[in-house]
Every structure is written in structure tokens, then in C-alpha cells.
Amino acid sequence: MDAIYRQMLHTYLNSAQLQFYVAHYGKVKADWQYHIPQPEINRMYYFEEGAGTIRIRNQTYSPQPGQLFLLPANVSIELSTEKSNTFRKYFCHFALTVGEVHLFQMFQVPHFVDVIDRTWLDERFRKLISLSESQSVSSPLQSKSVLYEILTYFLDTALIQGVEENWRIDSVAADATNMHTVLTYIDEHLSDRIKIEDLAKQLHFHPKYFIQQFKASMGISPITYITKKRMEKAQEWLMIGDISITEIADQVGMDLPYFSHSFRKLIGLSPTEYRQYWRSIIRNKVSL
């Protein structure tokens, strides 16, 4: 995976919204065979036994026990099982979107990984199924937490096992790909007074159209994104250096009062309180 792809995927994952729908475990019937031209959701299949095929993006796979497949939304899939040796599998359905776009429609990742720790993944799926059936008030949040663990495992394992060319930006996400130019410009000009007009010029868009496209791709407005990036940079300086609060505000292109207000609103602490908090953590570690 090249550096640009990695940076873009990191940015979009940071903004993505996860919606969990259902999880289940069982053995499919002998007539389990169908074609879904435009699936509206993502599917994850964790195969434990059986044989059959999955066809996706003009590639045909024969899933093996211990393999975890990710089938993205809006990508045609065909599935079938051998009648005499049907699949037994865990599965879950979910959406992972940035704005109105499915993340795995924008970014193509390897379609499957070989699971190393099968006991761990069995436990995660059983937990996910239990939570999907629970009436607990907190179960929706817990379900997302477990699903995030499974997705993280898939992506981290795919980075180790995946073939390099299997990681690429899908052609349907050309507009989102172009946004990388804007994100790079923002990173390089955080200390400047960035204007929407300047960002729109990077893509030769009208400012109003640019704002619409940015929100559709990133899920948040350009101003919100810029403020978030500035606060992240400010946190780094507050944690590791002795640069003054006034200088930090200047480095992120903000007046001191507005910087302090924005920092407290986003982080929950003033810049000074945040610095004191991290220094107390460092002192405690040193004294241990």
C-alpha cells in the first residue's frame, strides 16, 4: 500500500460512520445459491466448514475453513455452496460510510484473510450475535465496539497477508480520490488563514459545489475538518513541547481567544489544562 493510499484510508476511516444490522451463525441449505447485483450493505462471512464459491469483481474464490471474507456494498456478488458439503459460517451485515458513500466502495481492500487466531474470532462473533439479540440499552454501542474489533482485525491482517495490488482506490470513487489534493493542501497550510475559495481552487470547483462534494466525501464540512486537524496538531505540541499557548495558536492559524474556545469545545479542557494533564501523567510514569 503506497503512502498516499494509506493517508487517505486513515483519513476516511477517522470520519466513517458504522451501522450494525445483524449477526448470525448456522449451516446453509443445499440450495444456498444466489446473485446480488447491487447489495445495499457490507457482508462479512467467517467460514468454519463446507465448500462452495464466491464470485466478486470478476474473481472467483473457493472459501476455506478459517477464512474471513469481506463483501462490500454496491459490488455485485454471486454465492453458492456444494450440496453435499454445505457451508457452516458466521456472518454479519453492516454499513461503513463516509457521508453518503460506502467506504469499501471507495477503497478496494483484499476480499479475504486467513484467520490466525480462530478461537478469538469465534468469541468475537458469538459476542456479536449475543448483543444483536440483547435488549440492553447499551447493546447497540457494545455491538459496534465488537464489530470494530473484527474490522480492525481484518484490515490489520490484510495488511500483512494481502497482495499489494489488492489495495487500491476504486474507480467509482474518482471524486473522493481527487479530495486527497485538498487534504494535502490543508495539512500544508494549517498555519495559514485557509479560505474555502482557496480549497475550491485546488479542484477547480465553485465554492458552493466544493462544500457539497467535501461533505459527501468526508461526512463533515471543510471548516469542521480544518478545525479538527488544527486541534490534533495543537494536542501534539501541548504534549511534547514547551511552546507557548500563544505560539501554538499562531502555528495553527487561529487567534488566541478563538483557539482556546475551539480547543475546549472539542477536547473538553483548555489548552493549559490539557498540558497540565499530560505533564501529570508523565510525572506519575517517572515516579513508578
Side-chain angles (χ1 to χ4, degrees), residues 12-19 94-99 101 103 144 148 218-220:
Y12 282 104
L13 281 170
N14 193 45
S15 302
Q17 300 294 314
L18 178 65
Q19 179 65 51
F94 67 97
L96 187 64
T97 55
V98 179
V101 182
L103 184 70
K144 288 184 180 181
Y148 271 125
M218 301 301 296
I220 56 177

Side-chain angles (χ1 to χ4, degrees), residues 249-262:
D250 186 61
Q251 288 296 318
V252 296
M254 304 173 77
D255 296 327
L256 181 58
Y258 183 60
F259 167 70
S260 298
H261 171 77
S262 299

Side-chain angles (χ1 to χ4, degrees), residues 172-211:
V172 301
D175 289 342
T177 304
N178 292 337
M179 201 60 65
H180 174 68
T181 302
V182 176
L183 302 183
T184 300
Y185 180 91
I186 291 172
D187 285 341
E188 294 175 349
H189 294 82
L190 282 179
S191 62
D192 300 334
R193 309 292 179 175
I194 303 174
K195 299 179 180 178
I196 295 297
E197 291 78 7
D198 297 330
L199 300 178
K201 286 179 182 177
Q202 304 304 308
L203 300 181
H204 307 290
F205 287 171
H206 185 280
K208 288 186 178 180
Y209 180 71
F210 166 76
I211 292 173

Side-chain angles (χ1 to χ4, degrees), residues 74-245:
N74 292 332
V75 177
S76 176
I77 57 174
E78 297 177 42
L79 310 107
S80 65
T81 188
E82 291 186 4
K83 298 182 185 300
S84 60
N85 185 22
T86 62
F87 285 127
R88 184 183 296 277
K89 62 182 176 62
Y90 290 97
F91 75 84
C92 68
H93 294 173
F94 67 97
L96 187 64
T97 55
V98 179
E100 299 178 357
V101 182
H102 288 280
L103 184 70
F104 296 123
Q105 181 186 10
M106 295 161 53
F107 291 88
Q108 182 174 328
V109 302
H111 295 142
F112 75 93
V113 297
D114 293 307
V115 177
I116 305 302
D117 191 343
R118 295 177 63 173
T119 299
W120 179 87
L121 192 57
D122 284 343
E123 292 174 351
R124 294 296 86 199
F125 267 103
R126 286 198 296 270
K127 179 67 172 178
L128 192 61
I129 293 169
S130 175
L131 288 168
S132 71
E133 299 169 349
S134 171
Q135 297 301 312
S136 168
V137 173
S138 64
S139 61
L141 293 177
Q142 295 182 66
S143 298
K144 288 184 180 181
S145 176
V146 175
L147 182 52
Y148 271 125
E149 288 187 71
I150 296 173
L151 284 169
T152 299
Y153 178 85
F154 182 92
L155 293 174
D156 286 346
T157 304
L159 280 171
I160 298 172
Q161 299 178 354
V163 179
E164 190 71 17
E165 56 265 27
N166 286 340
W167 293 84
R168 61 176 180 269
I169 299 170
D170 202 299
S171 58
V172 301
D175 289 342
T177 304
N178 292 337
M179 201 60 65
H180 174 68
T181 302
V182 176
L183 302 183
T184 300
Y185 180 91
I186 291 172
D187 285 341
E188 294 175 349
H189 294 82
L190 282 179
S191 62
D192 300 334
R193 309 292 179 175
I194 303 174
K195 299 179 180 178
I196 295 297
E197 291 78 7
D198 297 330
L199 300 178
K201 286 179 182 177
Q202 304 304 308
L203 300 181
H204 307 290
F205 287 171
H206 185 280
K208 288 186 178 180
Y209 180 71
F210 166 76
I211 292 173
Q212 294 173 353
Q213 292 300 303
F214 192 98
K215 291 183 71 173
S217 295
M218 301 301 296
I220 56 177
S221 70
I223 296 302
T224 300
Y225 178 83
I226 292 169
T227 300
K228 185 173 180 296
K229 294 295 290 186
R230 284 171 166 165
M231 296 306 102
E232 289 175 356
K233 181 60 66 175
Q235 285 177 273
E236 293 178 13
W237 279 319
L238 288 166
M239 290 169 59
I240 64 175
D242 292 323
I243 183 173
S244 71
I245 306 298

Side-chain angles (χ1 to χ4, degrees), residues 8-64:
M8 288 188 68
L9 182 55
H10 179 274
T11 298
Y12 282 104
L13 281 170
N14 193 45
S15 302
Q17 300 294 314
L18 178 65
Q19 179 65 51
F20 167 67
Y21 294 112
V22 65
H24 193 63
Y25 174 74
K27 191 173 180 65
V28 305
K29 296 180 180 179
D31 61 354
W32 191 76
Q33 180 174 346
Y34 52 96
H35 173 217
I36 309 176
Q38 290 291 324
E40 297 180 355
I41 55 172
N42 302 298
R43 289 169 164 79
M44 292 196 85
Y45 290 164
Y46 175 38
F47 294 94
E48 291 215 316
E49 64 179 50
T53 61
I54 292 179
R55 184 169 177 79
I56 179 171
R57 289 193 173 102
N58 296 318
Q59 292 179 284
T60 301
Y61 301 93
S62 299
Q64 302 298 309

